[in-house]
Structure formats: C-alpha cells, structure tokens
Amino acid sequence: MEISTLFILLLALDSSVHAFGEGPFQGWFQSVPDQIAGPLPVPSDLIVYQDQNPNVSRSATFNPFENTWAELGPDSVLRNAEWTWRVNVSQFYAPYNGSDAVPSDRQAFVSQTYDFSWSTEGNISEALDGATGPLCITQLNAWTDLPVNVTNGLTDGTSCIPALGQACVDAILNKTPRPSIEEGCKWGDYGRFDEMPECRGSFGRDRGLFGTFGAGFSLGDATNQINSGDTFWVNMSGPVLGYETWLYETVANQIQLLLFSALLPTSTQSNTSTVPGMELLCLRANNAKLPDFDINKDGIAVVGEVVLLSAGTSTTAGVDLLTYLGFMALIAGVVIG
Ligand SMILES: *[C@@H]1O[C@H](CO)[C@@H](O)[C@H](O)[C@H]1NC(C)=O
Ligand SMILES: *[C@@H]1O[C@H](CO)[C@@H](O)[C@H](O)[C@H]1NC(C)=O
Ligand SMILES: *[C@@H]1O[C@H](CO)[C@@H](O)[C@H](O)[C@H]1NC(C)=O
Ligand SMILES: *[C@@H]1O[C@H](CO)[C@@H](O)[C@H](O)[C@H]1NC(C)=O
Ligand SMILES: *[C@@H]1O[C@H](CO)[C@@H](O)[C@H](O)[C@H]1NC(C)=O
Ligand SMILES: *[C@@H]1O[C@H](CO)[C@@H](O)[C@H](O)[C@H]1NC(C)=O
Ligand SMILES: *[C@@H]1O[C@H](CO)[C@@H](O)[C@H](O)[C@H]1NC(C)=O
C-alpha cells in the first residue's frame, strides 16, 4: 500500500476511531450505571443481560498469589485456594440516536467483562484473607495487538508462559515495581513490557506512543463490595459502525492480560505484617488457532490483521471494506510508527 493511501485511510478513519475509543461505559469494580442516556438510551439491564449471555466466554482456574503461600498464616484461606477467572465477550444491537447514526436506528455494540469466583465465604477482601489494602490491577493498553504466533501459544489455563515465554513472565513479575498504594495504585512509568529485553520476542517491537500498559486501578476497601462471580471489569464499546464483526472478533481472540498486586496479611490478628503478592494472568475468550498470515507485509502478523481470515468466523463480506482496510493501515501505522 502506498504511503499516501495509508494516510488517506487514516484520515478517513479518524472520526470512527474516536467514537470507538470512547465507549459509553468502561470501569473497574463498579456496576453499569442504571441508565445510559444520550446517543445510547439503553437501560443497564440490557447490557447486564448481554454480558451474562455472551457470544463467547472462557474461564480458567489459578492459584491466587501462590508464591506467597509459604509466608501466610497456617489458617490463611488463600493457601491452596483456587480461583476462576472468566472473560465474556458479547456483541449485540441497541437503539442509537446519535448524530452520526446510519439509516438503521439499531447499532452494534461490543461488551467485554471479567469476573473472578472463589469457593470460600465472603467478599474479595475476605477471600484475600482479610487484605484491606487496595488490589492494584493493570492490563495491556487498549491498542496493544500482539503477534499471532504469540497469541496462538495460549490455548487453555491462565498462565502467560505458553504465549510470552518463561523469561518474559519472570521479568514482568520481578522487574515491574510494586504500585504505590499511597498514590492510589500508581504503577509508575516503568511496566512497559516492550522495554524489557526478555519480552521483546513476544511484544514485538517499539510501539511508540502506544505503551504496553494502561493505567492502574484500585479496589478501595470500604465502598466497593465485590463478591464471587461479580463483574470486576466491563468495557463496552461505543456504537460500532461498519466494522462490528472485526471489533468483536479482535476482542474475542486477543490475549487478555492482567497483572495485579496486593499486600496479604500473614495472620488474622489486627495490625499484622503483610507479604506483597503479584499475580500475572492471561486468557483468550476465543482460543482458536489464528492464521499466521502477514496481510500487510510489514514483517509481522497481529491479531487484528488476521481475525477475519480465520476459519469458522465471518468473512470480510459483512464489513465495510474501507473501514477494514483502514484498520489494517492503522495497525500498520502503529506497528511502523
Ligand atoms: C437522543 O440523543 C439526544 C442528543 O444526544 C439526547 O438529548 C436525547 O435524550 C436522546 N434520547 C434518549 C431517548 O435518550
Ligand atoms: C459470563 O457468562 C456466563 C455465561 O456464559 C454468565 O453465567 C456470567 O454471569 C457472565 N459473567 C458476567 C460478569 O457477566
Ligand atoms: C452474538 O449473539 C447475538 C445473539 O445473542 C447475535 O445477534 C449476534 O449476531 C452474535 N454476534 C456474533 C459476532 O456472532
Ligand atoms: C514469533 O515470530 C517472530 C518473528 O518471526 C519470532 O521472532 C518469535 O520468536 C516468534 N515467537 C514465537 C512464540 O513463536
Ligand atoms: C468485605 O466484607 C468485610 C466484612 O463484612 C467488610 O468489612 C469489608 O469492607 C468488605 N470489603 C469489600 C472490599 O467488599
Ligand atoms: C475497550 O473497548 C474498546 C472498544 O470499544 C477497545 O478499543 C479497547 O481496546 C478496549 N480496552 C481494553 C483495555 O481492552
Ligand atoms: C493498630 O495500629 C493503630 C495505628 O498504628 C493503633 O491505633 C491501634 O491501636 C492498633 N491496634 C492494635 C489491636 O494493636
């Protein structure tokens, strides 16, 4: 593709990319608001219903903060604990009355949720053996699209090792500084995996302005009640105009990566000492093997580039071609830039 064509496509896309980044709702440890007014006048019941009846869902178990178990008290509920992490992705239609609405008044939306479940009694603080400090979480930045060969490594379980490799996982766990709890779970400037030499093979190349990490978020100890099975993250898109299948397939196939950290009490006595715990999890809602085919010939195939070629999913026929090519160009732009 000629450079000039690429810029035209990028320009053509600018407005839709904007709408796309600003979903009506994105949040950690909070429920969907009762009513979302304005361009998307839907009650939260609809979103919650769709999240609970997703197009694709996958869950896997893990042993939370296993590396701290030896240091916890003998009766700690965390020792030998098994939690389940579930990722749901749904695509659905809702009325839309925004100014850029197309002739149909029904627009597609893509929503994604995470939940944890555990078998012990009580809320997440009790499941963390009474931890009161924030549970600091961070994830891959929105535009980080990993290479297909790395993504295909992940088929089941929550371990990131099959995708990122042992050295990269060790580097993330050992070199990422613990977030500053005083500053509300600030993860600091470091924590860009693409700057860790051990991770260059998986995260590929310099992504310029598109850092690997988004911001950190905190679980306050008083106002948020998170129980087993509750949504702890929701990311609902804005209206998806034209590229609905592409967005859904990309979100469903990409590696979801979570890094979280907490100070775990070593006994049930008050004012007890704590042990810092760090946990890294990876999961793909749709773990189908994607074709490793470098469509734009820039030397690397990323998920958003190939999802519509994948067998068993829809073809590009349903997608506006300009938008589709534009996203390819955008990915190329991100990767080259
Ligand atoms: C439709 O959109 C307009 C402008 O965004 C807004 O004022 C109005 O409340 C919306 N309609 C509904 C039913 O929410
Ligand atoms: C995820 O989907 C399952 C059904 O596959 C549903 O039972 C669960 O409530 C959903 N989770 C969330 C957080 O909506
Ligand atoms: C997701 O499921 C809904 C029905 O619940 C359906 O209308 C929609 O087409 C599905 N989307 C995809 C991408 O399969
Ligand atoms: C993926 O492909 C790149 C480039 O061909 C290579 O450097 C890297 O080692 C591969 N990674 C895996 C996990 O196969
Ligand atoms: C969890 O429950 C305990 C005991 O009922 C309560 O003190 C605490 O505030 C709750 N915390 C969260 C995060 O739900
Ligand atoms: C949230 O959803 C939007 C699509 O609406 C997507 O572009 C973005 O990557 C998502 N954010 C994360 C952190 O996955
Ligand atoms: C715990 O520490 C606080 C402040 O450091 C102190 O006021 C309180 O008395 C201590 N509680 C116990 C049971 O030691």
Side-chain angles (χ1 to χ4, degrees):
M1 190 181 298
E2 303 228 353
I3 293 294
S4 54
T5 319
L6 190 138
F7 280 120
I8 290 164
L9 285 168
L10 284 174
L11 281 176
L13 265 170
D14 191 51
S15 55
S16 52
V17 166
H18 231 79
F20 164 79
E22 298 163 8
F25 189 73
Q26 190 184 80
W28 292 85
F29 301 118
Q30 51 187 302
S31 43
V32 179
D34 286 345
Q35 177 79 36
I36 298 172
L40 178 67
V42 296
S44 65
D45 305 16
L46 174 65
I47 302 169
V48 170
Y49 174 83
Q50 298 295 342
D51 288 340
Q52 290 178 349
N53 296 275
N55 294 71
V56 61
S57 172
R58 182 170 306 278
S59 60
T61 58
F62 64 101
N63 298 123
F65 301 111
E66 190 174 5
N67 55 346
T68 67
W69 287 359
E71 293 167 78
L72 302 178
D75 55 351
S76 171
V77 294
L78 264 181
R79 177 166 301 118
N80 302 321
E82 193 175 81
W83 287 21
T84 301
W85 178 29
R86 177 162 50 190
V87 175
N88 288 355
V89 183
S90 48
Q91 191 220 28
F92 61 97
Y93 297 86
Y96 176 64
N97 80 346
S99 57
D100 52 346
V102 291
S104 152
D105 58 358
R106 249 169 42 110
Q107 292 296 316
F109 296 87
V110 174
S111 182
Q112 196 184 3
T113 60
Y114 297 163
D115 63 78
F116 281 145
S117 48
W118 51 85
S119 57
T120 52
E121 293 289 306
N123 63 30
I124 196 166
S125 162
E126 291 161 276
L128 292 170
D129 207 34
T132 53
L135 177 64
C136 301
I137 302 200
T138 189
Q139 65 183 158
L140 283 178
N141 205 355
W143 276 107
T144 305
D145 197 4
L146 297 183
V148 168
N149 66 345
V150 171
T151 303
N152 278 342
L154 207 66
T155 52
D156 53 11
T158 57
S159 170
C160 298
I161 295 170
L164 307 181
Q166 184 77 55
C168 174
V169 165
D170 288 347
I172 291 172
L173 288 171
N174 299 329
K175 292 187 182 173
T176 306
R178 274 198 298 283
S180 158
I181 286 172
E182 294 74 25
E183 291 176 64
C185 283
K186 253 204 178 134
W187 287 82
D189 294 332
Y190 200 69
R192 291 181 51 136
F193 301 158
D194 51 352
E195 286 169 6
M196 295 180 181
E198 298 87 345
C199 294
R200 283 206 82 82
S202 352
F203 286 85
R205 45 191 82 198
D206 185 7
R207 287 174 187 264
L209 289 175
F210 298 93
T212 308
F213 257 143
F217 300 86
S218 79
L219 170 66
D221 48 3
T223 49
N224 300 302
Q225 278 283 344
I226 294 288
N227 293 301
S228 179
D230 286 350
T231 304
F232 70 86
W233 186 62
V234 57
N235 183 15
M236 183 171 155
S237 75
V240 181
L241 306 170
Y243 46 86
E244 54 203 57
T245 313
W246 177 84
L247 180 60
Y248 166 75
E249 293 293 348
T250 301
V251 169
N253 280 282
Q254 275 175 333
I255 291 180
Q256 309 295 315
L257 181 148
L258 283 182
L259 180 67
F260 54 99
S261 162
L263 292 174
L264 306 163
T266 55
S267 88
T268 49
Q269 284 163 9
S270 50
N271 290 1
T272 186
S273 60
T274 55
V275 183
M278 190 93 101
E279 184 77 49
L280 177 68
L281 302 176
C282 287
L283 198 62
R284 289 170 71 198
N286 182 350
N287 64 7
K289 210 171 179 72
L290 294 169
D292 195 351
F293 183 61
D294 184 12
I295 298 176
N296 61 11
K297 302 222 177 347
D298 67 342
I300 196 156
V302 293
V303 174
E305 185 177 347
V306 306
V307 276
L308 295 177
L309 300 178
S310 161
T313 61
S314 337
T315 64
T316 55
V319 179
D320 174 70
L321 187 63
L322 181 70
T323 311
Y324 178 59
L325 287 174
F327 271 107
M328 305 276 226
L330 186 71
I331 289 161
V334 170
V335 169
I336 293 163

